[in-house]
């Protein structure tokens, strides 16, 4: 989000548009703690990947039992990065929908 001094210089309608876009992003962003919790409980079935929207990989994990557990263990090291990537893409899509260039 813009710095407070940058927001103060924005016209009111621009500030409201930015706040609305930020609010929409906050409603759809993924939580890394929840993704890890899903990994702990349903990791072998790909529950964390379903949560992050990786449906094809989730189904593959479901039918191979997480690559016999190996794929599930490897995912433990990459969940945080995947959550950041998903959130970055979702934020870019929301900001583009509102016509806001996002520097973050």
């Amino acid at each position: 989000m813009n710095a407070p001094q940058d927001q103060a210089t924005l016209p009111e309608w621009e500030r409201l548009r930015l706040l609305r876009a930020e609010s929409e992003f906050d409603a759809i962003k993924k939580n890394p703690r929840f993704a890890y919790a899903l990994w702990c409980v349903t990791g072998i079935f790909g529950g964390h990947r379903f949560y992050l929207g990786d449906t094809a990989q989730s189904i593959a994990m479901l039918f191979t039992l997480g690559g016999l557990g190996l794929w599930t263990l490897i995912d433990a090291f990459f969940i945080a990065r995947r959550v950041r990537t998903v959130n970055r893409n979702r934020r870019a899509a929301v900001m583009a929908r509102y016509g806001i260039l996002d520097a973050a």
Side-chain angles (χ1 to χ4, degrees), residues 4-5 10 25 30 40 43-44 59 65 75 82 89 92 94 100:
Q5 66 272 15
L10 289 175
F25 169 68
K30 299 298 182 182
C40 288
I44 201 159
I59 292 172
L65 294 178
D75 270 357
R82 183 65 185 140
N89 292 341
V94 168
I100 299 170

Side-chain angles (χ1 to χ4, degrees), residues 62-103:
L62 182 66
F63 288 118
T64 64
L65 294 178
L68 298 177
L70 185 61
W71 194 356
T72 303
L73 289 175
I74 292 171
D75 270 357
F77 300 104
F78 295 107
I79 290 175
R81 184 185 325 172
R82 183 65 185 140
V83 170
R84 281 192 304 272
T85 302
V86 167
N87 283 339
R88 189 178 323 117
N89 292 341
R90 287 175 175 236
R91 181 180 173 83
V94 168
M95 295 302 165
R97 193 168 35 249
Y98 282 91
I100 299 170
L101 295 175
D102 193 22

Side-chain angles (χ1 to χ4, degrees), residues 31-51:
N31 185 341
R33 288 182 181 167
F34 188 69
Y36 273 111
L38 281 173
W39 175 81
C40 288
V41 176
T42 64
I44 201 159
F45 302 114
H48 58 290
R49 288 194 175 260
F50 278 111
Y51 172 67

Side-chain angles (χ1 to χ4, degrees), residues 3 9 13 16 19-20 24 31 52 56 78-79 84 93 96 101:
T9 61
W13 62 274
L16 291 175
L19 288 174
R20 190 175 16 203
E24 185 176 328
N31 185 341
L52 295 173
F78 295 107
I79 290 175
R84 281 192 304 272
L101 295 175

